[in-house]
Amino acid sequence: MKKLILIAAVASLAACNNKAEEAPAAENTAASSAEVAGKSITPPGLYTVTNDNGPAGTTLINADGTYVDKAPDGTEIKGTITGKNGMDCFDPEGDEGETCFTLTPPDADGSFKATSTDGKMTVTVTPAKP
């Protein structure tokens, strides 16, 4: 389940990094406003997530602050995403608890690496192609 949560976090961060590259000053203001409101700093969208072992699944970030992680085997984890201290934090339904992620600046294709705050998970997040 933590792998799926990581997927969502990474995806969220990727989207956030893309915005930052396009308009750094605007994103800083937007991120601050989003964090005050408790909303995700990552824009809605679908993202693919990979790790050292290959595809880890997809993460769908919805405009209402919810997300759905989907593993390659079809297993889904749903929950909420919020912005806290410059990170996106994923809180899955149930008792697992929240996981927050930091991220690297995006590459030219919009992909980036996301790392859990405990350093145990690092994934590559890429905006899904339409």
Side-chain angles (χ1 to χ4, degrees):
M1 288 179 69
K2 287 187 178 185
K3 288 182 183 178
L4 290 177
I5 294 171
L6 177 62
I7 293 171
V10 175
S12 298
L13 296 176
C16 184
N17 281 337
N18 289 338
K19 276 181 112 177
E21 192 171 49
E22 293 170 7
E27 184 184 351
N28 290 339
T29 302
S32 298
S33 298
E35 288 178 34
V36 169
K39 294 182 180 179
S40 166
I41 56 176
T42 302
L46 180 65
Y47 303 90
T48 59
V49 181
T50 58
N51 58 32
D52 291 341
N53 298 321
T58 61
T59 297
L60 174 64
I61 306 295
N62 298 304
D64 66 356
T66 60
Y67 73 91
V68 178
D69 285 336
K70 188 171 186 178
D73 69 1
T75 304
E76 290 186 351
I77 294 178
K78 298 177 181 181
T80 58
I81 177 173
T82 56
K84 294 181 182 178
N85 300 317
M87 298 178 287
D88 270 345
C89 298
F90 293 81
D91 190 4
E93 295 174 347
D95 297 331
E96 188 167 333
E98 180 179 78
T99 302
C100 297
F101 296 85
T102 60
L103 54 108
T104 63
D107 292 335
D109 67 354
S111 66
F112 63 92
K113 294 202 181 288
T115 303
S116 60
T117 54
D118 65 8
K120 293 181 180 179
M121 286 189 285
T122 298
V123 296
T124 300
V125 179
T126 305
K129 306 273 189 241

